[in-house]
Structure formats: structure tokens, C-alpha cells
Amino acid sequence: MAPPLKPKDSASEPDAGAAKTLVILAKPPDKNKTVQTGSALASPNIQTELLKSPSIAQKTSSAGEQDESTSTHGTSSTSKDSDSFSDLVKNVAQRVFHVQQKPTAAQSDGEQKVSSPPEMSYPVKLVDESLQWCDSALEYLHDSSDFYVIGVLGLQGVGKSTIMSIISGIHSEKSKWQLFKPQTNDLKEIGEHCTSGIDMFVTNQRVILLDTQPVMSASVMDHMIQYEKKPPGGPDYHSVENALLMQSLQQAAFMMAVCHTIISVQDWFIDLNYLRFLLSAEMLKPTTPINIHDLNPLPEETTEYYPHIVFVQNHAQKRDFSASTISKMEETLSNVFQKSKLKYSGSVNPHNRRYPKDSPPKVNLFLIPDKEPPDTDSPSHRFPEYKIHPGYKYLTESLSRQVLSMPRSLLTHTALSEKNWFHYSARIWETVKKSTLFLEYNRLLP
């Protein structure tokens, strides 16, 4: 027979439910470890380690004051550790947020590159073949006021595009490729011009080059007869020849108003009709506008703007480089432009030597010979004859250097930026096309 069950003594054995309590133990921070930097705290491994939940342990309490003191001390230390742990987590989160929000140097450089205008790789139209203004060139211009505008004028086939390519520096002596497309042999055979309207190119040195169509060209007049439904100017012009002359004068007057320097190209010396044309364009040039808001008080006498002009004699022959011939050329041009307000002297000299300060060159004249043929093994190239001039390559580099170093004056009474110059040129072009001076001049023509 089984012995009877003895009743449990509640006083001798403690209650399991009352005796067992849950105590949260937090690992105290290690004082030997150094404080990590913001970049190290931002790593995902450190964040995961810091955000780990504390370990939970089960401890059996015993009767007595020692257990109570231990539990009280553990609770107070746990609360302090939990507060420090929460502050540390907040600090880590704030540092990670700032690290993620801080822009990098590459991003800032990328934003600056996007804001800057693109570089030009080929010329664009400023005025199309129908003599209409084009706005496609505005995106390539800056807000800087340190720029230099160079234009070109000349008859058909004299080498205007070649000279502008030489000034730009994008020109090869041996190959036929150059920046502004020249007139090909096929176009020369049919007597057709190559450049139509006005082409514009901006170099990295902020030099704005304007290549124009030929003035007083029979090819342009033939194009007007074939493709234009009505002659330009309508019934105001008596004939197509007068319409062509007025169109050329408008183009030349516009160039004199918006360019710092104009290069006048000829391939033989001298065409008096062409020089008379330049003087007529100077007479019909629009006046320099005055902005009354920028000038306070207004000046009593306003000065008109006139550009520098350089006379380039292209395809010069051997005899043209003699000192006596150059002196006669300078004297002739000086007499023709004696009463002109164009700045035609003092900047470019054809002798390739430095002038003393008290005697600058009389006329901005420069001579360029024909291109030299490629080197061959023939005896004539081994022992070349005396050419008087230093060579095509040296002369083209000298021309580019002298033209780019010419002084620049303000186009208006206030300084203009590149974009302001573009809008100013658009207004000048519309003013020239609607000017009544050209109609009055046309009435004096036969």
C-alpha cells in the first residue's frame, strides 16, 4: 500500500511564480574602445551592431536583503544604460542622415558643367541665306564681357573663309579641311559662291568669328533672280543690281556696327569700286544707341563707334613683297581712307618687324602668298628659289597673332556681355533692314 502524500510546506519552499522575476541585463560600454568617426558610424555593420537588442536572462531570486539590493542595483544600472544606449542610437542616426544628405564634389562639378554652355565644334548660322536672323547661336554664348568679335568682308572667291579659319587656328596647311568651308573647284567652275548669309563660330578664347557671303556678287544676284519670287525691297529698288548693292551695303553696315575688327580681303590690288563700297557702308552705318537708364547724367557729346579694319592682300605675288610695292600700297590706302573714321592704321604691319613707338604703321595692311605645294623630291624643291617673304606658314601665324592682339573698344556706351551682344546685334540687323537711309541712297543711284 502506497504511503499517503504529505502536504507541501508553503513556508519551507518558496513560490515559483513569486520567486522567478525577469531582469534585463545590458552590456556596459567598453571604455577602452575609442570613439568612432562619423564615416565609421555610417557603415551598415556598425549600425547593426549598435541596434542589437539587449540580452534577456532569467534569474531566481532568493529571500533576503542581498537579493533586493541586487535587483535594485540592476534596475537602476539598466535604466541608465538604456538611456545612454538610446542617446547613442539617436546620435548615430543623425550622423548617418547628415552624411547621406551632404553633396559630393563630383555632383557640384557636374551641376556647374550642366549650367555652362556647350563648346562649338562647327559654325552655326547667325543670318540665313534668306537674310533672316537665327537664334540658334545664343546657347553657345556666356554672360562674360571679355569677348572679341572679328568679321570679314570681301568679293567672291578672294579667300574670306580661309582667312577666318586661319584666325581661328583650326586650319591645316597640307590638308584641304578647315573650319569655314571654302569655295571648291567645282563651285569656281560654275561661278557659284559657297558661304550664304553670316556664319558664326566661338573659340575657346571667346573670340567670335563672323564669316559672310560675298558682297556685290554676281552669283548672289543670280540666286536672287532664280529663287526669289520678288526682288528684295519690293518696288523701292529700280533694278536687281541696285537691290544687290543695297543688300551688300546692309551687310557691311551691320558688320561695322557689331564687330571690333573687320578684315577686308582682296586678291589683287586695287579695286577702287570695292573701296568706294566700304566708304558708302561707313556712311550708312547705324548710329550707336544710347541707353538713358545706364547713363546718368547724359553726356553732352556722344561719340560714334567705328571698328578697326585690316586690309589683307591674299594670293600676293613675289613682286608684291618688295619694300617699294608695300609703301605704294600703304600710301594709296591712306589717301583713300584719309577722311574715314574707320581705324585703319597703327595695329598691323606687313614688314614683320617692330615699329618704334613714335612711328606706327601707316595702314593695317598684310600680305599672304599662295599656299606652298607639298614637299617633293624634285631638285627644284631641294634648292628652292628666293621668295622674299618668310613663307606661308609663318605669315599666317603672324597675321593671326597681330589680329588677335589688336586693341578692343566698347561697342556701345556701356559694357556688353556675350548674350547682350547677341540681342544688340539682332536689334541692329532689324534696324539696318528697316532703315530709310538705304532707300534714300538708292534714289541717288542710276
Side-chain angles (χ1 to χ4, degrees), residues 25-249:
L25 298 180
K27 185 178 180 180
D30 192 356
K31 297 181 180 180
N32 296 328
K33 292 184 179 180
T34 58
V35 180
Q36 298 181 353
T37 58
S39 60
L41 290 173
S43 61
N45 296 331
I46 300 299
Q47 297 178 25
T48 306
E49 186 175 353
L50 290 173
L51 296 177
K52 283 183 179 180
S53 59
S55 59
I56 300 175
Q58 186 176 9
K59 181 181 179 182
T60 304
S61 61
S62 60
E65 296 178 357
Q66 184 176 1
D67 295 338
E68 293 178 0
S69 62
T70 303
S71 62
T72 304
H73 178 71
T75 305
S76 61
S77 62
T78 302
S79 60
K80 293 180 180 180
D81 294 338
S82 61
D83 294 338
S84 61
F85 177 79
S86 61
D87 295 337
L88 182 60
V89 171
K90 291 180 181 179
N91 190 13
V92 170
Q94 291 178 359
R95 292 185 180 182
V96 172
F97 177 79
H98 287 300
V99 168
Q100 292 178 353
Q101 293 294 326
K102 184 178 180 181
T104 60
Q107 292 177 354
S108 59
D109 294 340
E111 292 176 358
Q112 293 178 359
K113 290 181 180 179
V114 171
S115 61
S116 61
E119 295 183 0
M120 297 186 68
S121 57
Y122 55 88
V124 297
K125 285 292 182 184
L126 188 67
V127 177
D128 60 9
E129 57 184 5
S130 301
L131 302 182
Q132 300 298 322
W133 188 262
C134 301
D135 294 331
S136 58
L138 181 60
E139 60 178 333
Y140 299 99
L141 300 179
H142 291 183
D143 291 325
S144 173
S145 59
D146 186 14
F147 64 97
Y148 185 25
V149 185
I150 302 176
V152 65
L153 291 174
L155 301 176
Q156 180 177 337
V158 296
K160 299 182 299 299
S161 300
T162 302
I163 296 299
M164 296 305 288
S165 299
I166 291 173
I167 299 299
S168 67
I170 308 177
H171 173 265
S172 178
E173 181 182 359
K174 297 181 180 180
S175 63
K176 296 182 179 180
W177 185 89
Q178 57 190 41
L179 178 63
F180 294 97
K181 185 179 179 181
Q183 188 181 23
T184 60
N185 293 329
D186 296 337
L187 294 178
K188 291 180 181 179
E189 291 176 357
I190 61 178
E192 187 174 349
H193 64 285
C194 182
T195 305
S196 298
I198 301 177
D199 295 339
M200 189 188 85
F201 183 82
V202 184
T203 65
N204 295 332
Q205 291 76 25
R206 313 317 301 169
V207 178
I208 302 176
L209 303 175
L210 302 180
D211 185 21
T212 61
Q213 69 180 18
V215 297
M216 299 185 296
S217 170
S219 175
V220 176
M221 183 176 62
D222 182 67
H223 187 275
M224 292 167 55
I225 296 174
Q226 291 186 5
Y227 300 100
E228 297 287 344
K229 296 181 180 179
K230 57 181 180 179
D236 297 329
Y237 298 141
H238 305 299
S239 61
V240 182
E241 291 81 2
N242 290 353
L244 173 65
L245 179 59
M246 290 298 103
Q247 178 179 310
S248 300
L249 286 173

Side-chain angles (χ1 to χ4, degrees), residues 378-386:
S378 60
S380 60
H381 289 86
R382 294 178 187 175
F383 306 99
E385 61 179 353
Y386 180 63

